[in-house]
Amino acid sequence: MNEGISKRINRIQFALLSPEEIRKMSQVKVITADTYDDDGYPIERGLMDLHMGVIEPGLKCATCGGKVDECPGHFGHIELAMPVVHVGFIKEIKSFLDACCGVCGRIKLTEQEMGDYRVKLTEESISNSEPEHFALMSKKVTDLASERLVCPHCGAQLKKVILDKPTTFREEGIKVTPKEIRERLERVPDSDLIFFGLNPEVARPEWMILTVLPVPPINVRPSITLETGERSEDDLTHKLVDIIRISQRLRESRDNGSPQLIIEDLWDLLQFHVTTYFDNQTAGIPPARHRSGRALKTLVQRLKGKEGRFRSNLSGKRVNFSARTVISPEPFLSVNEVGVPEKAARELTVPVSVNVFNIEETRALVKRGPEPRDEFGKYVAGTNYVIRPDGRRMKVTPQNAEENSTRIEPGWTVERQLQEGDIVLFNRQPSLHRMSMMGHSVRILDGQTFRFNLADCTPYNADFDGDEMNMHIVQKEEARAEARIIMKVQEQIMSPRFGGPIIGGIHDHVTSLFLLTHGNPLFSEEETIHILSYVEIDHLPEPEIVDGKKYYHGRDIFSLILPPGINLKFRSKLCAGAGEKCEYENDPEDKDVLIIDGKLLHGTIDDAAIGAFSGAIIDRIFRSFGPKETARFIDRMTKLAVGFISFRGFSTGISDYDLPESAIERINEIAEDAIKKINKLIEIYRAGELQSLPGRSIEDTLEIEILSAAGSARDESGKIASQFLGLNDPSVIMARSGARAKMLNISEVAGMVGQQSVRGGRINRGYYGRTLPHFEVNDIGAMSRGFVQSSYKEGLSPIEYFMHSIGGREGLVDIAVRTSRSGYMQRRLINAFEDLKVDEERMVRDTVGSIVQFKYGEDGVDPTRSDHGDTVDIDQIAFDIKQGAKK
Amino acid sequence: MSKFNVLQHELVPEHHLISKEEEDKVLKELEITRDLLPKISRSDPAIKALEEIHGPLESGRIIKIIRKSPTTGYSVYYRVIADEVFK
Ligand SMILES: [Mg+2]
Ligand SMILES: [Zn+2]
Ligand SMILES: [Zn+2]
């Protein structure tokens, strides 16, 4: 498995740059803070000196002679007037100052200790064990040395060094200058460096105090010429200008014997500039700012965080051939399609290589120019660019289209605008699973938005309240083939998460088909034809003749879109959605769905049949007939549903929740009873007569009892409400069919909202001993702890409203916390798994070939092709065979 | 107090030391070299428990692990004893 590897990293060494090394790699000593002269030519020995590289076409690098794209850039250097501390090494410098004698420079360990620890640390560094072990041991040793205030070698009495963040060191309040620090570090002998984890061959501690500063190549900090002709320098250049200026003033002041105070001020200023040059977000100092007030982006800011080099440029990149706009629904598109606005289609292109077979067509294509339309003014794909074999691209304009069309030859490439049928990738962030990016075929539509079938909302987790999505045009034949064969929406219908369909009917689709099939209603011939006009069909079902007129059953209409040959038996959602007892429990006609040979014999079609997560019919069709047939079913199902519900009409409103006076009275009674019961419990508790539940304190017991009393009050009121709200009520239809909401939500609106909670308990925070100043201290009654006896429809009292907001806030906070945390967890999982691969033997291996699993998922089964996680569905196979035999 | 054997615990899958002949057979069957097998640290409690039975085990020996699996009943896994600790 090691073939093909020509080089392997054996080790990586980290070292410090010595001043000599910095001077050696430098091509020029920068001495002037100026950049360009009046003619715009780089000033010699300035920050833009030609020895450090070129960014302007026409000029040549003074070091290597290369032109703009050839010269890699070269370092320069600045000699600092006085040494300054490097912020990045503050911790290390501190540990040296603490652990070493300020007089003789030796580490403050006895000869005995030195001998022992040297052996241990050497052992640790040559064995292949964890680097952390070495770090831990080194920390232990230096901590021991730091505690001593008398040097064991020279006997000097030492003072404690305190770090005054970010870069000042003090000894009993007196500043230790970087120069002094550097002298102390110089005195530390090579032999003592191992205790700090430094290798004296490549890193001396005094190198952590800067005397020379490397100036990065110009390529790293290019200047930009604005449209006005003004030149704008990079933030790093600005910072380097400051450093050189202050360094010069410091040198002059020092040389002409200025007062010590002035010199110290300038020195501190130099330290500030060098510190912010490295990290402009150092804690304890104000960030250096641009004239406009914007904080400068210096070295650390270039690398760190989401916008830094790593996360923004190395692990994530921007792409061409992509578009982004708002999305909106279009039920008349197939799930496999996406509607693209003309404006986007004219910008996005597909490369067509010209060859002897297609030269005539491509010539015609180019001849059309960049904005062709047919005789009805409809969009026709044009061309934006033609590319010569040498890579030069030429823009196609209406003027040169004719000429360009004659110029192209085999070997050229033509960038053709998007046309109907092109395969594109469509994506919505956050891309949490593979169905977040699917292949769609293009339809060019009017308007400004991307459009797609509502069934695709589930995998993208999209809605239309302003969501935007991205589209990518695949550029190569191989990529197009992959997009078409494995990424297309129809190939993604089965979720690898749970082995069931993730694409299916939602909201109104479910409601509509429920209404169409529940109770098997009859429709006149006219009505039937209207409904079916939304779906392409070639025959009408068997009619039922009543009074000499033709009528059609809802289930027969639905059967028209089922593929012939499908056999299926399952239970519809009807009873599962009901509250306590379902009125259809003993009605298999409505409750049990039976499909034989593509005919819906009985049962109600709802979420369990065609829903996005549970749809049994979609699941069955995918397994028996494959992706194409399933996509066709979903297309026709959604169209039929939309057609039927817009014909029948469906609306919901607050009047859905109207209850008769008697029921409202009953609910109020229940609430009163519950409050009474709670008060009673509190009384018993106060009297000290409450029996504690096993394993619970008395207080816990009281809370549990109160919660259960409040809970049963809400359940009771819900039951009463649902007694009066039946399946002729639109809200109930939606809840029972699984289209939207639960019966619980309905009882909250019509009956009672119930107890509000924070972290599973009643609300008990706020003021001392009470939740609001409206209550007495230590009132633990129902109202003061968040029991809401009103219904949403009736309206909440101010106190109830407040309690409800507390409970609601918890949900929001939970979601905010959960998403950020699970997002990070997922990022780490993806980074760990991204290059694992399943091989021909179904073994899971990494890039080296090491085995991770001997059989993918232990059983080698693709969850997408599994039956909700199981390998095969024996019952279904048996059922199919039985039906086949009957036939 | 008698020493506790981790391998007796219900939640610990069966670990077996396989013979050298069997090792060769497994490697041949999987068409793989020893270094590509998943590793197990020699400080792993299961290895220590096996050493109680078989005496000291040199690194490079292959351990066969039989795990209970919710989808297949039982699944077989091999790990090779390694000195280095991998993270
Ligand atoms: Mg939204
Ligand atoms: Zn150069
Ligand atoms: Zn000393």
Side-chain angles (χ1 to χ4, degrees):
Chain A
M1 271 318 255
N2 290 341
E3 316 101 59
I5 299 174
S6 61
K7 291 199 171 79
R8 179 168 253 153
I9 296 171
N10 182 28
R11 60 179 197 148
I12 299 175
Q13 186 176 52
F14 292 97
L16 296 176
L17 275 178
S18 72
E20 291 89 86
E21 219 165 333
I22 294 173
R23 290 190 192 105
K24 218 159 72 191
M25 71 181 194
S26 161
Q27 298 300 331
V28 59
K29 179 177 166 187
V30 181
I31 50 169
T32 27
D34 302 313
T35 48
Y36 297 96
D37 62 18
D38 296 337
D39 306 328
Y41 195 78
I43 289 174
E44 242 178 74
R45 319 208 84 188
L47 274 170
M48 288 295 167
D49 191 295
L50 282 177
H51 286 90
M52 285 183 282
V54 275
I55 43 166
E56 269 168 286
L59 292 180
K60 273 190 178 163
C61 170
T63 301
C64 67
K67 281 188 277 209
V68 174
D69 287 334
E70 300 157 356
C71 168
H74 315 276
F75 273 90
H77 77 279
I78 298 172
E79 294 283 348
L80 298 173
M82 305 276 254
V84 289
V85 176
H86 189 310
V87 258
F89 294 115
I90 279 293
K91 262 201 205 137
E92 286 73 15
I93 295 170
K94 172 86 162 69
S95 92
F96 268 100
L97 292 179
D98 282 342
C100 292
C101 167
V103 180
C104 69
R106 302 295 308 272
I107 186 166
K108 289 179 281 181
L109 293 175
T110 61
E111 291 297 338
Q112 172 72 37
E113 287 165 341
M114 275 206 198
D116 290 354
Y117 289 128
R118 195 186 300 279
V119 173
K120 274 194 196 164
L121 282 167
T122 318
E123 257 172 28
E124 196 67 52
S125 67
I126 45 181
S127 82
N128 266 332
S129 72
E130 304 283 309
E132 285 114 68
H133 290 182
F134 186 94
L136 275 176
M137 201 179 286
S138 154
K139 173 104 178 35
K140 217 176 93 192
V141 178
T142 49
D143 281 353
L144 174 70
S146 304
E147 278 165 24
R148 301 217 165 106
L149 282 180
V150 178
C151 173
H153 304 285
C154 68
Q157 183 71 37
L158 300 165
K159 296 166 198 158
K160 237 184 151 49
V161 177
I162 286 160
L163 172 62
D164 185 0
K165 280 198 171 154
T167 49
T168 318
F169 288 97
R170 287 181 201 283
E171 232 173 36
E172 293 183 340
I174 302 158
K175 194 177 160 187
V176 189
T177 63
K179 197 169 157 227
E180 164 72 13
I181 298 172
R182 192 174 152 90
E183 279 160 10
R184 286 193 195 178
L185 297 180
E186 275 170 8
R187 282 197 287 271
V188 181
D190 277 357
S191 59
D192 288 3
L193 293 187
I194 185 172
F195 301 109
F196 298 89
L198 286 195
N199 173 3
E201 283 165 32
V202 294
R204 281 289 312 171
E206 65 267 23
W207 299 344
M208 297 185 217
I209 309 289
L210 297 164
T211 52
V212 184
L213 191 70
V215 178
I218 293 169
N219 314 243
V220 173
R221 43 183 182 91
S223 46
I224 333 163
T225 320
L226 299 174
E227 276 159 46
T228 53
E230 233 181 312
R231 222 191 274 266
S232 171
E233 295 302 332
D234 189 273
D235 284 3
L236 283 185
T237 311
H238 280 297
K239 213 59 242 184
L240 288 165
V241 167
D242 292 339
I243 291 170
I244 295 175
R245 287 228 175 96
I246 301 303
S247 180
Q248 265 169 358
R249 274 173 60 196
L250 182 57
R251 183 173 293 121
E252 284 158 19
S253 305
R254 190 194 56 196
D255 292 350
N256 58 29
S258 298
Q260 191 59 28
L261 216 63
I262 291 181
I263 293 180
E264 258 170 44
D265 274 358
L266 282 172
W267 199 353
D268 283 345
L269 196 56
L270 181 66
Q271 176 72 65
F272 165 80
H273 283 311
V274 173
T275 302
T276 49
Y277 168 71
F278 286 112
D279 182 0
N280 202 16
Q281 282 171 343
T282 317
I285 49 168
R289 288 177 191 284
H290 208 251
R291 255 168 301 166
S292 62
R294 172 181 65 87
L296 292 174
K297 252 188 138 179
T298 53
L299 289 176
V300 168
Q301 278 68 50
R302 282 195 174 195
L303 310 178
K304 217 164 123 186
K306 215 180 194 166
E307 267 101 66
R309 201 94 319 149
F310 292 99
R311 280 179 69 183
S312 168
N313 301 109
L314 291 167
S315 5
K317 293 194 180 77
R318 299 188 162 263
V319 293
N320 289 323
F321 305 105
S322 67
R324 178 186 177 92
T325 183
V326 177
I327 50 167
S328 38
E330 177 51 80
F332 295 107
L333 286 183
S334 157
V335 284
N336 282 319
E337 291 174 323
V338 60
V340 181
E342 257 187 41
K343 229 173 162 178
R346 290 256 184 245
E347 290 291 329
L348 298 164
T349 57
V350 178
V352 180
S353 342
V354 182
N355 55 46
V356 287
F357 304 106
N358 69 4
I359 180 114
E360 287 316 312
E361 291 113 83
T362 38
R363 282 210 165 121
L365 196 67
V366 175
K367 205 171 165 185
R368 290 185 207 159
E371 248 165 12
R373 288 180 185 281
D374 67 8
E375 66 257 50
F376 310 108
K378 248 190 103 215
Y379 174 94
V380 171
T383 39
N384 287 352
Y385 284 94
V386 288
I387 304 167
R388 290 198 318 212
D390 66 0
R392 248 195 79 120
R393 26 180 31 191
M394 283 172 297
K395 179 122 188 98
V396 179
T397 61
Q399 290 78 36
N400 70 12
E402 185 93 55
E403 188 198 336
N404 271 324
S405 77
T406 56
R407 280 198 357 220
I408 58 169
E409 295 293 337
W412 286 49
T413 307
V414 171
E415 288 198 331
R416 189 207 77 212
Q417 289 168 359
L418 226 48
Q419 69 183 22
E420 301 226 337
D422 279 337
I423 189 99
V424 297
L425 302 186
F426 200 40
N427 161 240
R428 180 181 177 274
Q429 279 105 357
S431 315
L432 296 177
H433 54 197
R434 70 177 196 208
M435 292 82 77
S436 287
M437 188 178 247
M438 295 190 288
H440 288 253
S441 59
V442 168
R443 292 285 299 274
I444 314 284
L445 300 180
D446 290 339
Q448 310 282 317
T449 57
F450 287 137
R451 262 141 296 170
F452 56 86
N453 188 300
L454 288 126
D456 293 338
C457 285
T458 331
Y460 288 124
N461 192 21
D463 49 37
F464 305 104
D465 59 4
D467 291 24
E468 292 180 43
M469 281 178 70
N470 300 318
M471 191 176 76
H472 299 269
I473 315 314
V474 276
Q475 298 287 308
K476 286 271 148 65
E477 284 74 12
E478 193 181 357
R480 271 195 289 275
E482 281 190 0
R484 229 177 260 282
I485 296 164
I486 58 189
M487 293 185 76
K488 211 168 178 193
V489 175
Q490 66 183 31
E491 309 297 329
Q492 306 295 327
I493 291 170
M494 285 296 165
S495 165
R497 192 167 82 210
F498 49 83
I502 195 168
I503 296 173
I506 53 171
H507 308 322
D508 279 3
H509 303 146
V510 179
T511 309
S512 173
L513 296 180
F514 178 89
L515 292 168
L516 182 66
T517 53
H518 177 62
N520 205 12
L522 276 177
F523 299 96
S524 71
E525 187 174 26
E526 249 188 345
E527 288 170 332
T528 307
I529 288 172
H530 179 95
I531 296 165
L532 287 174
S533 68
Y534 287 86
V535 192
E536 306 93 64
I537 46 139
D538 42 26
H539 65 281
L540 282 176
E542 278 301 303
E544 183 159 315
I545 312 290
V546 182
D547 299 339
K549 278 190 184 157
K550 283 182 183 169
Y551 285 89
Y552 299 90
H553 280 288
R555 286 175 190 155
D556 294 334
I557 295 175
F558 178 76
S559 297
L560 287 177
I561 62 168
L562 286 173
I566 178 175
N567 302 311
L568 194 55
K569 204 170 138 186
F570 63 96
R571 183 154 296 181
S572 72
K573 186 132 184 175
L574 199 57
C575 292
E580 185 94 323
K581 200 166 163 288
C582 176
E583 62 268 45
Y584 299 97
E585 211 152 63
N586 300 316
D587 185 3
E589 271 286 299
D590 249 338
K591 185 189 66 177
D592 291 324
V593 180
L594 182 66
I595 297 172
I596 304 286
D597 193 19
K599 288 263 174 311
L600 175 62
L601 299 183
H602 55 74
T604 303
I605 298 301
D606 57 17
D607 190 53
I610 50 100
F613 285 101
S614 44
I617 297 180
I618 298 176
D619 188 280
R620 186 77 247 128
I621 296 178
F622 192 90
R623 285 176 210 296
S624 310
F625 303 93
K628 200 174 161 200
E629 193 58 37
T630 318
R632 182 172 131 90
F633 172 74
I634 296 172
D635 289 343
R636 303 218 294 165
M637 181 268 290
T638 53
K639 276 189 212 161
L640 175 68
V642 169
F644 176 64
I645 203 163
S646 50
F647 158 74
R648 180 196 178 271
F650 186 78
S651 42
T652 180
I654 199 77
S655 60
D656 288 3
Y657 306 95
D658 285 343
L659 293 179
E661 204 57 45
S662 61
I664 294 172
E665 261 164 45
R666 265 302 291 141
I667 289 169
N668 287 341
E669 269 167 42
I670 289 168
E672 293 306 324
D673 288 349
I675 291 171
K676 264 187 220 149
K677 198 176 165 199
I678 290 169
N679 286 337
K680 184 96 187 156
L681 279 166
I682 294 170
E683 245 172 67
I684 298 174
Y685 162 75
R686 290 247 153 94
E689 286 163 11
L690 192 69
Q691 290 289 311
S692 65
L693 289 167
R696 300 280 185 174
S697 69
I698 307 249
E699 285 73 23
D700 282 354
T701 310
L702 177 69
E703 284 298 313
I704 291 167
E705 297 282 347
I706 293 176
L707 277 174
S708 94
S712 60
R714 194 197 49 203
D715 294 347
E716 285 296 312
S717 73
K719 243 179 262 168
I720 290 168
S722 46
Q723 264 171 30
F724 293 93
L725 306 175
L727 268 181
N728 48 10
D729 187 299
S731 288
V732 177
I733 290 174
M734 289 192 284
R736 296 281 295 271
S737 64
R740 200 74 226 242
K742 297 266 142 63
M743 282 310 280
L744 174 79
N745 303 105
I746 290 174
S747 71
E748 280 178 330
V749 179
M752 182 195 301
V753 176
Q755 179 68 50
Q756 298 301 300
S757 64
V758 170
R759 298 198 181 168
R762 297 200 297 159
I763 291 165
N764 60 3
R765 36 181 82 196
Y767 296 84
Y768 173 76
R770 51 186 170 171
T771 48
L772 281 173
H774 309 66
F775 300 107
E776 281 175 26
V777 174
N778 291 331
D779 178 359
I780 49 170
M783 298 316 284
S784 90
R785 292 291 149 105
F787 181 66
V788 179
Q789 68 172 101
S790 313
S791 64
Y792 285 130
K793 189 189 157 208
E794 182 187 337
L796 275 59
S797 77
I799 287 176
E800 286 177 334
Y801 180 73
F802 184 79
M803 298 297 175
H804 183 255
S805 305
I806 296 176
R809 168 73 66 91
E810 186 186 43
L812 294 183
V813 171
D814 263 16
I815 290 169
V817 171
R818 243 201 336 259
T819 45
S820 68
R821 229 189 305 178
S822 64
Y824 182 49
M825 257 190 252
Q826 182 164 21
R827 227 174 80 79
R828 290 172 31 152
L829 280 178
I830 290 171
N831 286 335
F833 287 149
E834 63 183 354
D835 42 32
L836 297 189
K837 218 167 149 184
V838 183
D839 70 7
E840 298 86 343
E841 253 87 76
R842 299 190 184 180
M843 266 196 255
V844 183
R845 296 169 185 253
D846 65 12
T847 39
V848 182
S850 292
I851 293 180
V852 176
Q853 276 186 334
F854 289 91
K855 196 135 238 177
Y856 171 75
E858 292 185 338
D859 54 7
V861 171
D862 174 3
T864 311
R865 312 286 140 163
S866 73
D867 173 59
H868 296 269
D870 292 332
T871 319
V872 277
D873 184 355
I874 291 286
D875 293 341
Q876 178 62 42
I877 294 170
F879 184 69
D880 264 342
I881 292 172
K882 215 160 83 188
Q883 295 314 320
K886 264 190 206 159
K887 220 165 141 188
Chain B
M1 198 183 98
S2 67
K3 220 176 145 198
F4 175 70
N5 182 352
V6 279
L7 295 179
Q8 308 270 285
H9 194 282
E10 191 189 29
L11 296 178
V12 178
E14 291 174 31
H15 286 65
H16 301 282
L17 178 73
I18 59 174
S19 67
K20 299 237 165 149
E21 297 81 68
E22 210 174 329
E23 282 183 2
D24 294 336
K25 221 180 90 194
V26 167
L27 291 175
K28 211 172 150 197
E29 231 167 65
L30 296 171
E31 294 178 40
I32 200 173
T33 50
R34 219 172 273 266
D35 61 314
L36 295 179
L37 282 175
K39 317 272 188 291
I40 185 167
S41 167
R42 58 165 56 260
S43 60
D44 192 290
I47 298 300
K48 285 188 179 156
L50 282 180
E51 281 182 334
E52 296 270 307
I53 308 164
H54 301 284
L57 298 175
E58 72 250 47
S59 44
R61 288 303 295 270
I62 295 174
I63 307 295
K64 180 179 187 178
I65 300 169
I66 300 171
R67 296 174 175 162
K68 276 187 202 154
S69 154
T71 48
T72 49
Y74 289 91
S75 76
V76 180
Y77 204 79
Y78 297 97
R79 294 174 79 175
V80 61
I81 301 178
D83 284 322
E84 311 115 289
V85 190
F86 285 87
K87 264 194 171 173

